[in-house]
Amino acid sequence: MATHLAVSFLYGNFNAIVHDGRQVVASWTPGTGDRSHGWHEGAFRFYLERALEETGYEGDSVSLVVADVDMEHIHLSVPPVKPKLRLQLIGREVERRMDGGRMVWCHRYLGSHRARAVRPADEEGTAPQGSEHYLVHLWPQQKLRQYLQDMRAVDLTPRLILPVASLMLQWAEEQNGPDDVVCLVNHTPNGTTMLVRNPQGPEVLLRHLTPGAGTGRSRLVEEIQRSLLYARQNLGIVTRQVLVGGEDLLDDVAARLSAEASVQAAPQWNDASYPAVRVANLPAASTESLVPASIRHERRNRIINRVGNYAVAALGVASAATPR
């Protein structure tokens, strides 16, 4: 059975799993000795090489989930137009906000102003009335290039490259009930991603927080509280429930916010390998993937050619076995 390598690299925290389509068959996390290489992008290739050695993975593709303080997330609204023009409009707005920086971007549809359930227009379809809302993820182009170079150096081709914020939003939208998830905090030893979402509208707030700011842990919890206040005052989101992934942060958040909201653990997000497992099960086609179009097309053509070769070989075998 074919296997696939999936990696999460969240603020320098590296986790790798090998998935066979049904379950995890191998995994690797850096040990204390490996950690001497650091918690930064410069260590990514070393960790990737070690993961290949330790898991025995012999495939040629990898999916990556990444969290980085240099990632930005902006909420855009555009008129209901056909897909090609929609991408142009989003691209122009992104360029306007780049302020001279070179960034790559991807996007996620959040809904229309009338109803979140309305889907964007198809190529031949009719767009819904009213503005359509999108969450756009931006990342410095040079950082993406470095990751791509590191993958190429170990003969791997990226299948998906997703911001962890994308997985958090997907997970939040899957929860049952309109008020089950309003805030999700994904905490790692070297950084924290926070999502505040309106379950009945397109409003979303995403923040990357680092424990190095100010007084560390106490400042981190204070920033979470300030973000909830901002969401209430500026986005109209009243937080009723805060789910925390990362048990070592749960007690601190509960002590500060229990009078304002129900604070509970998010068990799946307590598992450091969960983002990698989740991305391994996602389809390669995604508007939120940062994999360049040229690489996506190259990978698709390679798969098509491989399938074609198998078909030709099968026909040859069948022909040889046919009585003459």
Side-chain angles (χ1 to χ4, degrees), residues 220-240:
L220 176 61
V221 177
E222 180 183 334
E223 286 298 318
I224 293 173
Q225 186 177 36
R226 290 178 58 190
S227 298
L228 296 179
L229 177 62
Y230 176 89
R232 181 169 69 248
Q233 293 180 341
N234 295 275
L235 302 178
I237 306 175
V238 179
T239 305
R240 297 183 177 87

Side-chain angles (χ1 to χ4, degrees), residues 167-230:
L167 298 187
M168 293 172 66
L169 185 56
Q170 291 174 23
W171 183 86
E173 291 175 346
E174 292 169 1
Q175 306 311 299
N176 296 323
D179 298 320
D180 281 354
V181 175
V182 175
C183 176
L184 174 62
V185 178
N186 180 36
H187 177 63
T188 71
N190 209 42
T192 302
T193 308
M194 178 181 179
L195 163 72
V196 184
R197 134 189 191 271
N198 181 357
Q200 298 176 338
E203 295 82 12
V204 172
L205 174 66
L206 278 162
R207 294 196 66 195
H208 294 280
L209 308 171
T210 56
T215 56
R217 179 63 61 86
S218 61
R219 177 62 182 273
L220 176 61
V221 177
E222 180 183 334
E223 286 298 318
I224 293 173
Q225 186 177 36
R226 290 178 58 190
S227 298
L228 296 179
L229 177 62
Y230 176 89

Side-chain angles (χ1 to χ4, degrees), residues 59 62 161:
V62 60
I161 299 178

Side-chain angles (χ1 to χ4, degrees), residues 125-193:
T126 301
Q129 297 297 315
S131 298
E132 293 178 342
H133 296 261
Y134 294 87
L135 180 65
V136 182
H137 310 286
L138 300 94
W139 203 24
Q141 186 181 75
Q142 185 55 44
K143 287 203 169 186
L144 176 61
R145 284 179 175 173
Q146 186 59 56
Y147 279 86
L148 295 175
Q149 290 173 8
D150 290 343
M151 294 175 187
R152 192 178 302 115
V154 295
D155 298 322
L156 292 176
T157 301
R159 172 180 167 271
L160 280 172
I161 299 178
L162 293 182
V164 73
S166 168
L167 298 187
M168 293 172 66
L169 185 56
Q170 291 174 23
W171 183 86
E173 291 175 346
E174 292 169 1
Q175 306 311 299
N176 296 323
D179 298 320
D180 281 354
V181 175
V182 175
C183 176
L184 174 62
V185 178
N186 180 36
H187 177 63
T188 71
N190 209 42
T192 302
T193 308

Side-chain angles (χ1 to χ4, degrees), residues 234-275:
N234 295 275
L235 302 178
I237 306 175
V238 179
T239 305
R240 297 183 177 87
Q241 186 176 41
V242 178
L243 299 185
V244 181
E247 294 181 359
D248 60 333
L249 186 66
L250 178 62
D251 291 342
D252 296 88
V253 175
R256 188 72 173 258
L257 299 178
S258 58
E260 304 175 24
S262 170
V263 180
Q264 302 176 29
Q268 290 169 304
W269 291 90
N270 282 335
D271 181 355
S273 67
Y274 177 68

